[in-house]
Structure formats: structure tokens, C-alpha cells
Amino acid sequence: MATEGQVITCKAAVAWEANKPLVIEDVQVAPPQAGEVRVKILFTALCHTDAYTWSGKDPEGLFPCILGHEAAGIVESVGEGVTEVQPGDHVIPCYQAECRECKFCKSGKTNLCGKVRAATGVGVMMSDRKSRFSINGKPIYHFMGTSTFSQYTVVHDVSVAKISPQAPLDKVCLLGCGVPTGLGAVWNTAKVEAGSIVAVFGLGTVGLAVAEGAKAAGASRIIGIDIDSKKFDVAKNFGVTEFVNPKEYDKPIQQVIVDLTDGGVDYSFECIGNVSVMRAALECCHKGWGTSVIVGVAASGQEISTRPFQLVTGRVWKGTAFGGFKSRSQVPWLVDKYMNKEIKVDEYITHSLTLAEINEAFDLMHEGGCLRCVLSLHA
Ligand SMILES: NC(=O)c1ccc[n+]([C@@H]2O[C@H](COP(=O)([O-])OP(=O)(O)OC[C@H]3O[C@@H](n4cnc5c(N)ncnc54)[C@H](O)[C@@H]3O)[C@@H](O)[C@H]2O)c1
Ligand SMILES: N[C@@H](CCC(=O)N[C@@H](CSCO)C(=O)NCC(=O)O)C(=O)O
Ligand SMILES: [Zn+2]
Ligand SMILES: [Zn+2]
């Protein structure tokens, strides 16, 4: 049955309130307006940023909403003026847009895009500042411009990457967030050189992708730091060469790393979202040149601090969003790299469930053995 131009009623997981279990609801998804694309989501993974917003600690968190931002699907219909994708195209929604026209996109200095960010930060679409989701007439907010915990979603055309139709959507959904973030933090943000000593704080999906990226960049030592020793075995497969569990030391962890590395590491990455660890990650860097990249997302109200002397003496503090990748241009390239077996994806998937089991999937995220759980939306 043709659905183009019609309201679609489908299943979606709705976060009615912070921290309350998600509820599978029948949701009405309006047709895409000018510059918008309606996507049938086939597979979505869960990222810790979904859990963060759901927890109520995200200053941009609005309820009720449909979370989810690491997914893959097929274009169902497009609004007026959309030229770069058409129904049937295989796509990955991109929470970091790329319009190629705004001041950010044209700067050549950042992957951030300003075209739709003001709307996606308040859960609506740009053209009329309204949501395309509703339940019996009550609007439900979008999330990160993606809302992939729904069988159908509407995204801006600048927020969707067309990918190879050969790519398995149940795998490449991961290329919507965590894996590119880690790889890009190393390749684009830090620009790690061969022979570097690297420290990775937090060995979840993002930290393991940092390790994978550092190995590909030719790092000589990749030190993985995690308070869960169970992470260490699996981390070896992603390139981690040595492990440190801060719980096993009395000294501050930055001192432990400095002592292990003759003065500090060349590059460090914080992949947890803990502001004390962010400080340790900066302070374990080598005097004169060590660079620390903040990847983890810290809760509303949290602030970072260090002695300015740390920066005066040459350490550099940076951050990264989506690993600095330009989404629409580079996600298809990452998909091709996966298809050519140049980057891992399958190895990060530890669990597969259905949309109806989404609350169990969130519970799994807090267990050490879970990296990414992929949900099938139409099973
Ligand atoms: N900047 C971006 O664009 C971007 C993109 C994706 C995810 N993120 C953020 O990156 C972070 C990591 O995401 P993830 O999915 O890999 O999370 P995760 O929870 O799977 O991994 C975090 C790891 O950190 C470890 N850990 C927790 N506290 C620690 C401590 N004090 N010291 C050492 N290790 C500790 C945990 O045991 C776990 O292994 C999250 O904050 C997420 O929101 C940021
Ligand atoms: N609303 C949050 C922002 C959190 C944040 O920093 N998000 C990252 C992506 S995390 C993906 O898992 C990001 O890309 N930030 C840049 C942007 O949002 O434009 C908060 O305010 O804490
Ligand atoms: Zn994410
Ligand atoms: Zn732009």
C-alpha cells in the first residue's frame, strides 16, 4: 500500500518522562514537508547518550520524546525540493547535519553544521518548528534530529547519508554514532601520528573505536584504562596493548600513567563523560605537546577544571563531536571501508533484540559485557 503523502501509524518507544520505562505506543508520523525525508528505520542501536538524555541530566532533554540516533533504514518518501535522496535509498540518519552552505560547513574548520541545530536541540523540525510525531493529536518531541526508536521517523534532508545498498543495515547502523566518533577522534581531531603513545579512558564502544583508530594510525603503545577489569580481554582485539585499572592503585591515575610512560602520553581520550577523569586525561599528557580529547558527554551542571599551568606548559585540551566527521560526505565512505573490511563493526555488536525489548536493552547497557545492542524495528 502506498504511504507517500499519508500519515503513517507505527510502533515507537516513547519516553514519557525522565527515567520511567519507555512505552511502545502507536504513533502517528506525519508526511515529510519541504526539505524533509521520512525514513523506515530497520535497525537501531542504543548509545549511552540516549541513556544520558533519558536520565533527565541532559539540558536539552525534552519529554515526551522518541530517543535514538544510531540507526539505518530505507527512505519511504521525501518532501518538496529534496533532491539528494529518493524513496528506496538506503540511509543512515545523521544527528550532526551537513548542509554544505552554512558558515560552519563552509569554514573548512569543523564538522558542526548550523543549519538545523536550533530546531533539533528543541525537538522540532526547522520549517514550522513543529513535531512530525503525535499520539492522538498530542505532539511528541523529536530527539537529536533523528528519533530512531520508531519504525518511521522524519529527518531534515541535511541529516541523512545515502549509503551503499549492499551494506547490511543491521550492522552499519553503528556507523551513525559510536564507532565513527572513536575513529574520528583519533584521525580527525587528535591526528595521532605513527609511533605515538596513546591513553584511552573508558573501554566501551567509543573507547574501543579510539583504540582501533590508534592502532590503524600506527600508535606504538595503546594504554586502556577502565574500572571494569572484564573489559580488558576484549580490548586486546581492538588494539589495546596494556591495561590499567585505577582501582588497583593508591596514586592518582594521571601519576600512574605519567610514571608508566616516561613523562606522559602523546595523546589521551576521555570516553566516559566523567569530569574528574577528563582532568586526569589531560594531566597524564606529556609536558610540551600532549593533547587530550574529550569525547564523553558530562551531565548538566558539570564543569571541568585543571591548573592553567597544565596548558601553559604545552598540553592541549580539545573535544570532538561525531569524531569530526562530515556526516553526509563521510558516513558513506565509512560504510565502504567496513564493506572492504578496513574497519570493524560486527565486533562491537554483543546483543540483538527487538523494539518491544527496548527496556531490557537499556538494562543491558549497564552490564559490563554489553558494547552495542542492535534492535530490529520490524521483527
Ligand atoms: N562526543 C561525541 O560525539 C560522542 C559520541 C558518542 C558517545 N559519546 C559519549 O561517549 C561516552 C562513552 O560512550 P560508550 O557508549 O562507549 O559508553 P560505555 O558506558 O559503554 O563505556 C564507558 C566505559 O567507561 C568505564 N568507566 C566508567 N567510569 C570509569 C572511571 N571512573 N574510570 C575508568 N573507566 C570508567 C566503564 O566501565 C565503561 O567500560 C558517553 O559519555 C557517550 O555519551 C560522545
Ligand atoms: N544535549 C547535550 C549534548 C550532548 C553532546 O555533546 N552530544 C554530542 C553527540 S553525543 C552522541 O552520542 C554532540 O555531537 N554534540 C554537538 C552538538 O550537539 O551539536 C548536552 O547539552 O549535554
Ligand atoms: Zn551516540
Ligand atoms: Zn551547515
Side-chain angles (χ1 to χ4, degrees), residues 30-363:
Q33 298 197 2
E36 298 174 3
V37 180
R38 190 161 59 183
V39 180
K40 179 179 186 180
I41 299 291
L42 295 188
F43 296 95
T44 185
L46 284 68
C47 168
H48 277 78
T49 307
D50 298 310
Y52 158 70
T53 301
W54 186 28
S55 76
K57 292 180 185 154
D58 178 355
E60 292 186 310
L62 294 166
F63 298 92
C65 72
I66 297 172
L67 298 164
H69 64 282
E70 194 173 289
I74 298 178
V75 174
E76 175 271 338
S77 62
V78 300
E80 200 187 312
V82 173
T83 54
E84 295 201 24
V85 292
Q86 58 184 26
D89 283 348
H90 289 208
V91 293
I92 290 183
C94 303
Y95 64 84
Q96 195 54 251
E98 183 191 351
C99 75
R100 301 174 182 147
E101 289 167 357
C102 75
K103 185 177 181 183
F104 290 89
C105 284
K106 289 205 292 203
S107 71
K109 296 180 180 185
T110 179
N111 67 327
L112 301 180
C113 168
K115 176 127 187 223
V116 297
R117 184 65 181 81
T120 59
V122 292
V124 295
M125 299 304 287
M126 195 69 195
S127 63
D128 57 0
R129 297 288 173 141
K130 289 194 174 136
S131 174
R132 303 289 169 259
F133 296 112
S134 60
I135 297 180
N136 300 325
K138 179 182 169 57
I140 308 292
Y141 288 113
H142 295 244
F143 170 67
M144 287 175 83
T146 50
S147 289
T148 60
F149 295 163
S150 176
Q151 291 178 320
Y152 288 84
T153 190
V154 177
V155 300
H156 299 99
D157 59 354
V158 292
S159 307
V160 66
K162 180 177 167 178
I163 61 163
S164 160
Q166 269 81 49
L169 299 179
D170 59 335
K171 305 289 191 298
V172 296
C173 57
L174 266 63
L175 296 176
C177 184
V179 172
T181 297
L183 296 175
V186 175
W187 298 342
N188 305 320
T189 310
K191 300 189 168 68
V192 169
E193 309 94 357
S196 302
I197 304 178
V198 170
V200 191
F201 290 81
L203 299 175
T205 294
V206 175
L208 294 176
V210 164
E212 185 188 354
K215 182 179 178 185
S220 61
R221 294 173 68 186
I222 304 172
I223 305 169
I225 300 119
D226 203 295
I227 51 172
D228 178 0
S229 295
K230 292 195 294 295
K231 298 277 174 175
F232 294 167
D233 249 357
V234 69
K236 282 181 209 156
N237 304 329
F238 293 85
V240 171
T241 57
E242 49 205 290
F243 304 107
V244 177
N245 185 337
K247 288 184 172 168
E248 291 168 6
Y249 296 83
D250 293 328
K251 284 188 286 189
I253 190 63
Q254 49 269 58
Q255 193 57 52
V256 173
I257 306 293
V258 166
D259 292 346
L260 275 173
T261 54
D262 186 27
V265 301
D266 300 306
Y267 297 97
S268 73
F269 298 85
E270 199 279 357
C271 308
I272 303 162
N274 177 319
V275 292
S276 313
V277 179
M278 290 175 190
R279 178 176 192 152
L282 175 79
E283 295 180 358
C284 79
C285 285
H286 203 286
K287 183 176 177 178
W289 64 77
T291 295
S292 186
V293 180
I294 293 175
V295 192
V297 172
S300 174
Q302 298 282 300
E303 294 184 349
I304 48 170
S305 61
T306 190
R307 278 194 71 205
F309 185 64
Q310 294 284 333
L311 306 186
V312 167
T313 49
R315 294 170 195 83
V316 177
W317 222 346
K318 290 184 159 190
T320 192
F322 196 52
F325 281 117
K326 293 239 180 203
S327 60
R328 283 200 297 145
S329 302
Q330 290 186 286
V331 165
W333 174 79
L334 285 164
V335 168
D336 293 345
K337 271 182 99 62
Y338 163 70
M339 298 296 282
N340 294 332
K341 302 194 186 330
E342 292 167 35
I343 59 170
K344 297 186 199 299
V345 171
D346 303 19
E347 292 80 352
Y348 295 92
I349 302 172
T350 52
H351 298 80
S352 302
L353 293 175
T354 63
L355 179 65
E357 297 167 311
I358 191 164
N359 288 302
E360 288 162 51
F362 271 104
D363 290 343

